[in-house]
Amino acid sequence: MARPPRLAFPWFALPAGMYARPAAAASNDDTVSQTDPKAEVIEPWFLRHTPSKGLLEVGLFGGVFLLNERIELYEVDFDLPLEGFHAFERPAPHGGLRFGYYVWPALGVEAEAGYIALQSDVGRAHGYNFGGHLIAQLPRWSVTPFLVAGMSGVGVASPRSVVGNDVDEMPYFGGGLKWFLARHVMFRVDIRDVLSRRYVEIDRPLASNLQATIGLSVTLGRPKPSPAPPSDRDGDGYLDAQDACPNEPGVAPDGCPTRDRDGDGIPDPNDACPDEAGPAPSGCPPRDQDGDGIVDDVDRCPTQPETVNGFQDSDGCPDEVPVEVQAFTGVIEEIYFELGRATIQQTSEAILGKAVEILNTYPDLRVEISGHTDSSGTEIRNDQLGHARASSVKQWLEAHGIDGRRLETASRGASVPIDTNRTAAGRAKNRRIEFRLI
């Protein structure tokens, strides 16, 4: 069987699986996943196991006692030099056990007892300590800082030839850190200042004795994991266990959102063409069977393409330009202007009148009126003259009832001759007005 990966730390290594916790777990009660009790996620290490109310801690500790050189820890005998006092070597190995109970996550009481291996210049002595204290901690993270303050009894047992037997009360205070490695395992570091009397000043505890320990404890009494209420992550009223789309709000029957595959704003169940964008009510795109650019809904001949010839090009049907209309396309004979000017001669009104009749008969016609000149004069002058003459024809037609929006003008100047400009007859033909259906 493959071994789980390990997370390395400076002084030891722990299986990575130790830190797995249920997906929906809270900080103190370790609740399980709302949808799958076996589902696990890796949470930040500093939030995995925080202190809780009613927690019990039972553990072992070990470290050192740096006793003051003049600690009053000896059996007083006035017949001996220095009353029987001997200094102890530093540091002195120290170990023991502790028991703690936490009324609230932030406050508890602890009792401790330990052994101190003492060595003086005249022999070994057995030291011991016992006591209790209040402990206040900041229970927000798996690594928890704390402070302690309490009272202990520190004693020594040895032959009179060493230091004899003695027990003194010693107040202490200090602090440290706890690291809740797992649900039931805790690592701890303590540093304290234990106050003792000096051997010549027995009235007050003024001497400092440093106590430094590390420990490992078992934690008991955490609330048991409890199943969380059924989850509905997307808040659509369909529980995740029955929701086919648990991360997207949806509707009946499967809890998935109503789809609109073609993005036309019409939900697929109501869209006759769910894969083709189209307008309401069907959701289908407009059809154009004959491909003439006119959709079938408005095409009078949906299976026959429109003949684009400037005549009734919007009905979608093939057609031919009527003969009478054809007579007014291309060069329009008999429209005359004064020489070098845009003034229409009176003799031109007959043909222009017929043009008005045709335009009235076929109100859908739109016409471009273009003016042409011979090559006499400059290019700029010819272009201006061609435009002015086309505009004069347009104005005449408008004055006789034709909507100007149906008429456009253009100037070709001398750029499109239909005869030679070397003869008077040729130049006369080149000076002309042309109509083109648009």
Side-chain angles (χ1 to χ4, degrees):
M1 179 182 295
R3 299 182 62 185
R6 303 180 68 85
L7 301 178
F9 295 90
W11 56 90
F12 60 86
L14 292 172
M18 176 179 292
Y19 296 118
R21 108 182 259 200
S27 61
N28 286 331
D29 60 5
D30 293 336
T31 53
V32 299
S33 170
Q34 295 177 333
T35 56
D36 181 3
K38 297 180 181 179
E40 294 182 341
V41 295
I42 301 300
E43 292 190 81
W45 63 271
F46 53 87
L47 295 177
R48 287 176 191 137
H49 308 287
T50 58
S52 61
K53 180 180 179 180
L55 196 66
L56 298 173
E57 296 178 5
V58 180
L60 300 173
F61 63 86
V64 294
F65 234 127
L66 275 74
L67 300 176
N68 191 281
E69 294 178 348
R70 300 177 66 185
I71 184 172
E72 193 275 295
L73 188 60
Y74 65 99
E75 183 180 345
V76 177
D77 187 340
F78 295 106
D79 294 329
L80 295 174
L82 299 178
E83 303 173 351
F85 168 82
H86 288 280
F88 297 109
E89 294 181 0
R90 301 190 307 167
H94 174 47
L97 57 86
R98 64 168 57 97
F99 173 84
Y101 175 73
Y102 289 82
V103 183
W104 296 286
L107 184 65
V109 293
E110 289 186 331
E112 293 181 349
Y115 175 78
I116 310 170
L118 299 175
Q119 177 70 44
S120 73
D121 57 353
V122 294
R124 293 182 180 275
H126 300 289
Y128 56 88
N129 73 301
F130 56 88
H133 55 255
L134 289 175
I135 179 168
Q137 60 189 11
L138 189 59
R140 300 186 62 180
W141 310 284
S142 297
V143 176
T144 304
F146 64 87
L147 297 173
V148 299
M151 179 67 71
S152 68
V154 180
V156 62
S158 69
R160 176 59 272 183
S161 60
V162 182
V163 291
N165 300 304
D166 187 27
V167 178
D168 291 329
E169 70 279 5
M170 297 185 186
Y172 61 88
F173 61 91
L177 285 175
K178 298 178 181 179
W179 183 3
F180 292 88
L181 302 173
R183 181 176 172 79
H184 298 299
V185 182
M186 180 193 74
F187 178 76
R188 172 166 168 168
V189 177
D190 284 71
I191 298 179
R192 302 175 189 173
D193 188 3
V194 183
L195 301 178
S196 66
R197 299 183 182 91
R198 297 176 183 268
Y199 81 91
V200 295
E201 300 172 354
I202 62 174
D203 56 337
R204 289 181 298 169
L206 296 176
S208 291
N209 303 268
L210 179 65
Q211 181 187 19
T213 62
I214 59 175
L216 196 66
S217 299
V218 175
T219 60
L220 306 171
R222 284 187 182 275
K224 293 182 178 180
S226 58
S231 172
D232 178 15
R233 295 199 296 272
D234 55 17
D236 60 2
Y238 291 86
L239 300 181
D240 292 347
Q242 291 81 38
D243 195 334
C245 303
N247 296 311
E248 299 177 274
V251 296
D254 58 0
C256 287
T258 302
R259 303 297 183 185
D260 179 15
R261 296 198 298 272
D262 54 16
D264 59 4
I266 301 174
D268 289 351
N270 302 326
D271 195 333
C273 302
D275 296 309
E276 298 178 274
S282 68
C284 290
R287 302 299 181 186
D288 181 13
Q289 298 178 61
D290 54 20
D292 60 3
I294 301 173
V295 297
D296 292 351
D297 290 347
V298 297
D299 194 333
R300 292 173 56 189
C301 304
T303 61
Q304 297 175 284
E306 168 68 51
T307 303
V308 182
N309 54 12
F311 177 74
Q312 296 181 349
D313 288 343
S314 61
D315 62 359
C317 291
D319 50 42
E320 293 184 2
V321 179
V323 175
E324 60 269 30
V325 174
Q326 293 181 23
F328 281 89
T329 60
V331 178
I332 308 301
E333 305 286 353
E334 303 177 13
I335 297 180
Y336 304 109
F337 299 90
E338 294 183 6
L339 183 63
R341 303 177 63 184
T343 304
I344 299 174
Q345 295 183 6
Q346 190 172 2
T347 56
S348 304
E349 294 184 356
I351 192 65
L352 290 174
K354 290 181 180 180
V356 170
E357 292 178 9
I358 295 299
L359 291 171
N360 285 330
T361 301
Y362 299 98
D364 291 336
L365 291 180
R366 296 181 65 248
V367 177
E368 178 194 75
I369 306 167
S370 59
H372 298 257
T373 69
D374 59 27
S375 61
S376 303
T378 65
E379 181 179 346
I380 293 176
R381 170 58 182 161
N382 289 336
D383 183 68
Q384 292 174 342
L385 182 60
H387 182 72
R389 286 178 172 177
S391 297
S392 294
V393 173
K394 179 184 178 184
Q395 292 170 7
W396 195 98
L397 296 175
E398 289 177 332
H400 290 77
I402 303 303
D403 188 347
R405 290 173 296 182
R406 299 171 58 193
L407 307 173
E408 294 183 7
T409 62
S411 175
R412 306 288 188 269
S415 63
V416 190
I418 58 175
D419 205 335
T420 180
N421 282 302
R422 295 178 180 178
T423 65
R427 289 193 292 274
K429 286 184 178 182
N430 289 335
R431 295 191 296 271
R432 67 196 187 275
I433 291 291
E434 290 187 5
F435 283 4
R436 182 177 66 87
L437 299 182
I438 57 175

